[in-house]
Amino acid sequence: MNDIANFKNTLTSSFTDFEKSLNGQSKQPLHSIRKEALANFEQAEFPNLKNEEWRYTNISPLLKHSFNPLPAVLPLMYDDIQQFLLGDTFNHVMVFVNGRFDENLSKINNLPDGLIVKSIATDVEEDDPNVLEHFGKYALSEGQIFTSLSAAYTFDGAFVHVQEGKIIEDPIHLLFIADARKDKALIQPRNLFIADKNSQASVLEHFVSLSEDIYFTNTITEIVVGENTYFDHVKLQEESKRAFHISRTVIDQELSSNFTSHAISLGGDICRNDINSKFNDKGGECTINGLFLLDDSQLCDTHTLIDHAQPHCNSHEHYKGILDDKSRGVFNGKVIVRPDAQKTNAFQENNNIILSNEALINTKPQLEIFADDVKCSHGATIGQLDKEAMFYLKTRGIGEDIARAMLLHAFASDVIKTIKLLPVRDYVEAILTKKFNQ
Amino acid sequence: MLLEIKNLHAKIEGKEILKGINLTVNAGEVHAIMGPNGSGKSTLANVLAGHENYEVTEGEIIYKGKNLLELSPEDRAREGIFLAFQYPVELPGVSNTNFLKTAVNEIRKYRGEEEMDAVDFLQMIKEKMKIVELDQALLKRSVNEGFSGGEKKRNEIFQMAVLEPKLAILDETDSGLDIDALRIVANGVEKLRSPENSTILVTHYQRLLNYIVPDFVHVLSDGKIVKSGGKQLALELEEKGYDWIKTDAVA
């Protein structure tokens, strides 16, 4: 009980300092959202294991720490971040250090016509009507303690706006760097992506850390996928093994839109990903894929929700987990098919490989179907590395370690191969190769 | 002498399957091991390849002068033993090319040879594919995934051609094949036959032996070799069935 009270108090009392740091910005309309969120944060309770949505994820280790919501931001050089730039292949890169946009390390001065990429803070300063129209409208704060915390301290994050009819070929790389060498940082990037009618874009959210320290990333992304628009989203999380990572991604899909998500989770002590997509109109298509690769005592919890609120929409979901040592995985895939959503196709699959006796996975499909003319399926598997496959490889002269790496790679490849951004796929492949060959 | 099996006893899940096998295979010889279902043919093949589910309780296997039972399955393969599986395993996500390249290079590494470069490797596997008339498109596909029964068996012989074993053990490679596929498989095995290499054909049917003429035929029954002879023995079995051997052995 004391932990929770302390955790809350620290964060509530820092708010005054935060307000001061905002200078003139505290008079903007966004600030009333912050204050409202703070009130929500004070009222809301931290989830515990009795809460159905958090049944397998105990966050009490998180609450033992005292995090600094206004962490120090040390100046970084290009050499510090070069390793995370995926071979410098991307033309549009936004770098955030402890949640603060770093213009010098970023590369957004050469944007094509129709693409607006800037920090949310700048956008708010410029009174962009898009912010007030969309900000906080999808990831609601009420009753959501982590969303409230994020909204209360909203300062920076990526704002991406693709204007009507624009096809943006180059992906946008958002690099979120955690630097907790100085203090236990609370890092809360807050992103908003808007893709207008008939447009196309891809965004990579990439979370990394400079050291294996303790810190807390609490991030929210809202994505509006306009009519007949194609939006590709990849979230690559390779945080410190001691970090806490809580993220919520909320997607609003309009008429005949197509949204693809890949979430690759590798780091973090406790990691929780919530991905909620809603079909607001007919003809939508949504693909939600992911891979979590865990060892030591890592915990990774993925909760997805696909809301088929309208007819004639298709959703495909495929998550894979590889768990070693004492790690724990949670997958909860909820699909709601509302009464009007006839002709829905919703497919979900979750496959897991357990490499040790102590690793554990809790997987749960949750289908709530209220329409009668729909096709929905789900499947979950949990197994060990196939012994017959291992023997087969060995009889061809392939040694134990390489055979194991080959099979794990093959298992993960279903998900990795569907990542459309080739440099990202190669980067993930390289990480997996390194991990599997350890 | 390439292989010498002496008084081999083996069990699986506590049940004794092999009850004292004696067999000697010299370089260049083709041995057919025939027998009814459940006689221990596949067990013998798996024990030779080193499957961990089979426990050897008595006897020994000497291969190239070494105690084979002390070698891991991968080292047996590197020493030149190849098992063509009765039921080849599907490896979704592992491409045939990657699989073969890894295998070839692992074996070369063991033998202190340099890794094969990509061009030579591709050249070599294209040549070998012709032996079993496999379509090159299969190289890009996952190992055995979605292959027909015949394609799987041909893929086994293709792998054998690539890995060039000293001792090939074909576990019911002929079962379930139509006559065309059987001819292709048999033809592949014949092409790879040489005075240095030996083959053990494990089969239930005599049919394969119309295409691959063995030097010796052994009949396995209830975990023992109950009769050995030349190729004539296979024909006799085909005519009279296995019951004749069983009663004969008892008598």
Side-chain angles (χ1 to χ4, degrees):
Chain A
M1 206 55 208
N2 255 340
D3 282 349
I4 294 177
N6 285 339
F7 191 89
K8 258 193 168 177
N9 284 341
T10 316
L11 295 173
T12 328
S13 55
S14 300
F15 191 74
T16 330
D17 293 337
F18 174 59
E19 272 184 316
K20 279 183 203 147
S21 75
L22 291 171
N23 296 323
Q25 282 193 43
S26 59
K27 293 190 180 62
Q28 287 160 342
L30 185 65
H31 200 59
S32 59
I33 299 178
R34 291 195 187 104
K35 281 182 163 167
E36 202 184 306
L38 184 74
N40 283 333
F41 175 69
E42 283 174 300
Q43 277 165 22
E45 284 181 15
F46 282 103
N48 58 37
L49 299 182
K50 284 179 195 141
N51 183 320
E52 188 59 33
E53 292 292 298
W54 292 80
R55 219 175 126 188
Y56 303 107
T57 300
N58 180 4
I59 56 157
S60 56
L62 167 80
L63 303 175
K64 286 193 171 66
H65 298 281
S66 177
F67 294 103
N68 184 358
L70 306 166
V73 178
L74 304 172
L76 296 181
M77 307 299 283
Y78 175 80
D79 285 353
D80 298 319
I81 67 159
Q82 204 254 340
Q83 56 172 313
F84 306 119
L85 291 175
L86 284 71
D88 245 339
T89 42
F90 292 152
N91 289 321
H92 315 314
V93 183
M94 284 184 98
V95 177
F96 296 83
V97 182
N98 286 352
R100 300 291 162 119
F101 178 55
D102 187 323
E103 200 170 354
N104 291 327
L105 293 173
S106 300
K107 209 161 64 174
I108 52 166
N109 36 19
N110 219 345
L111 298 176
D113 180 41
L115 173 66
I116 297 158
V117 173
K118 50 187 163 186
S119 93
I120 283 264
T122 315
D123 201 54
V124 167
E125 265 176 55
E126 291 168 358
D127 278 329
D128 186 341
N130 275 307
V131 174
L132 287 178
E133 192 189 331
H134 294 289
F135 186 91
K137 296 290 189 297
Y138 310 99
L140 306 176
S141 290
E142 214 185 328
Q144 296 280 345
I145 195 158
F146 293 112
T147 305
S148 304
L149 177 59
S150 153
Y153 281 93
T154 300
F155 180 77
D156 223 338
F159 175 74
V160 175
H161 183 192
V162 188
Q163 289 174 335
E164 186 175 334
K166 299 298 178 188
I167 310 298
I168 308 302
E169 309 226 350
D170 282 336
I172 299 145
H173 184 189
L174 307 177
L175 181 60
F176 300 100
I177 298 173
D179 183 0
R181 292 175 298 187
K182 200 138 191 251
D183 51 10
K184 282 187 189 171
L186 168 57
I187 303 164
Q188 308 200 87
R190 176 82 200 217
N191 308 311
L192 176 62
F193 310 148
I194 303 167
D196 289 344
K197 195 172 170 181
N198 293 326
S199 67
Q200 180 172 336
S202 26
V203 173
L204 165 67
E205 284 187 54
H206 188 188
F207 292 84
V208 302
S209 65
L210 292 179
S211 62
E212 287 294 298
D213 282 306
I214 297 170
Y215 60 90
F216 175 21
T217 298
N218 179 34
T219 178
I220 312 266
T221 296
E222 292 173 290
I223 307 174
V224 184
V225 189
E227 180 181 335
N228 200 34
T229 281
Y230 179 92
F231 197 92
D232 186 23
H233 182 244
V234 180
K235 181 171 173 262
L236 174 56
Q237 187 269 97
E238 37 174 350
E239 304 247 35
S240 149
K241 278 269 204 58
R242 296 166 76 204
F244 300 93
H245 179 101
I246 292 184
S247 94
R248 187 169 173 209
T249 306
V250 184
I251 306 107
D252 173 84
Q253 286 197 244
E254 296 304 324
L255 184 71
S256 302
S257 62
N258 190 325
F259 174 75
T260 312
S261 155
H262 284 84
I264 313 295
S265 299
L266 308 168
D269 181 23
I270 295 178
C271 168
R272 162 81 178 220
N273 292 322
D274 276 90
I275 301 173
N276 303 344
S277 185
K278 183 177 181 188
F279 291 114
N280 257 330
D281 213 325
K282 285 178 265 189
E285 184 101 21
C286 163
T287 304
I288 296 191
N289 291 347
L291 171 75
F292 44 94
L293 185 63
L294 311 173
D295 56 18
D296 295 334
S297 58
Q298 284 184 292
L299 187 161
C300 180
D301 176 343
T302 300
H303 268 65
T304 63
L305 165 63
I306 300 172
D307 187 347
H308 281 266
Q310 296 285 333
H312 295 284
C313 293
N314 301 321
S315 66
H316 320 265
E317 185 171 16
H318 197 180
Y319 262 78
K320 291 205 160 187
I322 299 174
L323 299 98
D324 203 352
D325 303 327
K326 291 179 177 173
S327 63
R328 293 193 46 194
V330 181
F331 176 79
N332 191 102
K334 187 169 176 177
V335 176
I336 302 178
V337 182
R338 300 201 184 262
D340 291 337
Q342 300 296 3
K343 303 290 179 189
T344 288
N345 287 316
F347 305 108
Q348 182 190 100
E349 181 136 0
N350 171 229
N351 313 114
N352 305 286
I353 285 188
I354 305 276
L355 296 173
S356 76
N357 288 331
E358 287 170 293
L360 185 73
I361 172 90
N362 294 101
T363 173
K364 183 172 133 196
Q366 202 181 343
L367 271 56
E368 296 178 6
I369 301 169
F370 302 101
D372 52 15
D373 187 10
V374 300
K375 274 185 214 155
C376 295
S377 73
H378 65 84
T381 61
I382 302 168
Q384 293 166 331
L385 222 53
D386 184 349
K387 279 189 181 162
E388 288 306 310
M390 280 295 279
F391 178 61
Y392 192 67
L393 290 169
K394 287 180 183 177
T395 61
R396 283 7 178 193
I398 300 171
E400 172 104 24
D401 291 345
I402 293 180
R404 187 171 176 270
M406 281 177 92
L407 292 179
L408 289 177
H409 220 108
F411 176 77
S413 74
D414 278 2
V415 165
I416 306 301
K417 283 208 171 115
T418 55
I419 298 177
K420 292 199 186 75
L421 301 176
L422 278 181
V424 179
R425 195 198 295 177
D426 292 345
Y427 183 80
V428 174
E429 289 270 11
I431 294 175
L432 296 187
T433 303
K434 209 172 140 199
K435 282 211 163 224
F436 294 149
N437 290 333
Q438 267 171 12
Chain B
M1 188 191 311
L2 185 67
L3 178 80
E4 191 176 15
I5 302 174
K6 288 189 222 163
N7 189 31
L8 183 70
H9 291 250
K11 60 182 183 183
I12 182 167
E13 286 162 3
K15 193 179 174 218
E16 186 168 57
I17 307 287
L18 300 185
K19 300 171 179 173
I21 302 262
N22 293 292
L23 179 68
T24 302
V25 178
N26 292 305
E29 291 175 353
V30 174
H31 290 244
I33 294 182
M34 305 185 69
N37 289 327
S39 58
K41 302 189 299 294
S42 279
T43 298
L44 177 61
N46 276 293
V47 167
L48 287 170
H51 197 295
E52 62 178 6
N53 285 1
Y54 298 88
E55 190 196 339
V56 173
T57 50
E58 217 184 314
E60 57 179 343
I61 306 176
I62 307 296
Y63 170 73
K64 295 202 301 194
K66 292 178 187 167
N67 180 357
L68 187 74
L69 297 173
E70 279 178 0
L71 297 180
S72 64
E74 54 270 36
D75 280 349
R76 296 182 196 199
R78 293 161 182 169
E79 288 284 351
I81 289 185
F82 180 89
L83 171 65
F85 280 54
Q86 182 178 8
Y87 304 111
V89 180
E90 296 190 8
L91 304 174
V94 179
S95 82
N96 255 315
T97 310
N98 182 31
F99 167 65
L100 286 170
K101 201 171 174 189
T102 310
V104 166
N105 284 330
E106 282 271 280
I107 292 172
R108 290 176 77 95
K109 204 165 69 190
Y110 179 84
R111 295 176 183 166
E113 295 162 9
E114 266 184 48
E115 287 198 3
M116 217 170 186
D117 75 58
V119 180
D120 289 347
F121 174 75
L122 217 63
Q123 180 76 32
M124 183 267 286
I125 53 174
K126 279 180 182 168
E127 284 299 314
K128 306 280 184 173
M129 283 194 106
K130 289 183 195 154
I131 297 176
V132 281
E133 300 173 33
L134 268 179
D135 184 357
Q136 280 190 26
L138 291 183
L139 286 175
K140 285 187 182 157
R141 283 169 51 189
S142 295
V143 178
N144 294 325
E145 191 187 33
F147 285 28
S148 70
E151 280 174 334
K152 281 183 182 169
K153 296 293 178 81
R154 277 192 279 160
N155 198 28
E156 294 294 290
I157 303 306
F158 166 52
Q159 290 171 27
M160 174 177 137
V162 170
L163 300 180
E164 297 177 331
K166 277 256 162 294
L167 175 65
I169 304 146
L170 275 55
D171 187 5
E172 307 236 6
T173 301
D174 54 324
S175 299
L177 291 186
D178 63 56
I179 199 71
D180 290 329
L182 181 72
R183 213 176 276 138
I184 292 168
V185 164
N187 191 28
V189 175
E190 273 299 319
K191 275 189 186 155
L192 300 169
R193 202 165 170 173
S194 83
E196 291 84 43
N197 301 340
S198 309
T199 307
I200 296 176
L201 300 170
V202 172
T203 181
H204 184 77
Y205 307 103
Q206 188 272 333
R207 201 178 55 160
L208 177 67
L209 308 182
N210 292 337
Y211 299 93
I212 308 171
V213 181
D215 299 304
F216 300 95
V217 174
H218 310 277
V219 181
L220 197 61
S221 177
D222 193 27
K224 280 182 182 169
I225 290 178
V226 291
K227 202 167 179 69
S228 295
K231 58 185 179 190
Q232 272 307 113
L233 181 56
L235 294 170
E236 228 172 310
L237 284 169
E238 182 79 353
E239 203 180 306
K240 297 182 183 171
Y242 288 112
D243 289 343
W244 153 71
I245 289 292
K246 279 184 195 166
T247 44
D248 202 44
V250 172

